[in-house]
Amino acid sequence: MAAAAAAALLGTAVAGCGAGGAGGAGGDGAPAPGVVRTSPIADRLAKLPAAVDGAKVVVGRADAPRTVQVLVDPRCGYCAKFEATGGEALLEPVEGGEVRIEYLLASFLDRDGASGSVKAVNALRASVDAGKFAEYQAAVFASQPEGAFTDELLLRVADRVPGLRGPAFDRAVERGSYAGWVGEAEKAFEATGMRGTPAVLVDGKPVGTKDGSMFDAAAFARTLGAAGIGA
C-alpha cells in the first residue's frame, strides 16, 4: 500500500495499517512463508514482567511513573517494522522502571474475512499467563507471514520461546480460549479514536507518527526524549 493511502487512513501517520481494512501483513522485510524468527533482544524482553489489566496487557513495573500506550495489530506489516525499530527505543526506560507500556492489541485487519489477527491476539493473551508476553510478542511480529496467522504457526513461534509451550498454552491457542478478551481488546483500541496502527500515545497524544520517527530506533528515542521519556 502506498504511503499516501496509509496516511489518509491514519490521519496523522506517515505510514501504517488503516482501520478501514487496508494495510495488512507482509510489510517490508516480512519472512518467507513458514519462517519463524525470534527477536535479537529476546533475552532482555524475557525479563520484563507483564500482566493483564482489563482489555490491556501492561509490560513493566506497575508503579512506573509514566505510561505509554502502544497500539498494534499482529497482521499489520508496519507494526512489525515498528517493533523491530522504534519499539526498541522503549525498552531501556521500561527496564529502568521509568515507563510501563499498555499494549492495546487490535484485530481490525480481520475484517477482510481472515482470522489471523484474532488468532494471534488470542495466543498473545495466553502468553501472559505463562509469563512470556514480551518475548513472544516480539517473535510473533518477527515471524509475521504474508497471509494470516494459523494455530500451527503460532505454536511453532512459541517453540522458540523457552518455557512457553505446555498443555495450558497449547489448549488456549487451539481452542481460542480468549476470544472474548480479544473482542474487548479491539473495543479498547477503537475507544482511543485512532484509525490505524501502529500508534504510540504519550499522555494520550500520538508521537512519532507525523515525522515517521517511530520506524527508526535512534530517531524515536529522540522523539520520546522530547516527551520527557528516557531523556
Side-chain angles (χ1 to χ4, degrees):
M1 184 181 67
L9 286 165
L10 281 166
T12 59
V14 172
C17 299
D28 293 343
V35 173
V36 173
R37 296 174 176 169
T38 57
S39 168
I41 56 172
D43 57 335
R44 297 171 66 187
L45 294 172
K47 299 175 183 177
L48 297 180
V52 174
D53 181 6
K56 300 168 288 190
V57 176
V58 180
V59 174
R61 288 171 45 178
D63 61 351
R66 300 292 300 275
T67 299
V68 174
Q69 286 191 320
V70 175
L71 287 56
V72 290
D73 185 307
R75 287 184 60 220
C76 174
Y78 287 103
C79 292
K81 184 176 181 180
F82 165 72
E83 287 293 323
T85 53
E88 292 191 9
L90 283 167
L91 181 57
E92 188 169 334
V94 173
E95 287 177 320
E98 177 189 353
V99 167
R100 70 176 196 162
I101 302 175
E102 291 183 349
Y103 278 99
L104 295 179
L105 303 175
S107 51
F108 61 80
L109 287 173
D110 278 359
R111 291 174 184 166
D112 62 7
S115 60
S117 290
V118 168
K119 287 179 177 293
V121 174
N122 174 75
L124 288 165
R125 170 61 183 84
S127 73
V128 180
D129 295 340
K132 302 291 182 179
F133 173 79
E135 187 179 0
Y136 183 56
Q137 177 179 247
V140 166
F141 276 113
S143 305
Q144 189 183 73
E146 292 184 1
F149 282 100
T150 63
D151 293 344
E152 185 269 340
L153 175 57
L154 290 163
L155 291 173
R156 286 201 294 115
V157 174
D159 279 331
R160 302 294 297 274
V161 179
L164 179 53
R165 288 292 301 271
F169 176 81
D170 291 6
R171 183 167 54 250
V173 171
E174 293 166 348
R175 296 182 181 179
S177 300
Y178 292 106
W181 186 90
V182 173
E184 291 302 313
E186 170 62 20
K187 290 179 182 177
F189 160 73
E190 294 172 2
T192 67
M194 298 300 292
R195 292 286 299 154
T197 56
V200 178
L201 308 181
V202 177
D203 299 327
K205 299 179 180 179
V207 297
T209 52
K210 288 184 179 180
D211 59 6
S213 65
M214 65 192 309
F215 298 116
D216 179 277
F220 196 53
R222 293 191 292 272
T223 295
L224 291 172
I229 292 175

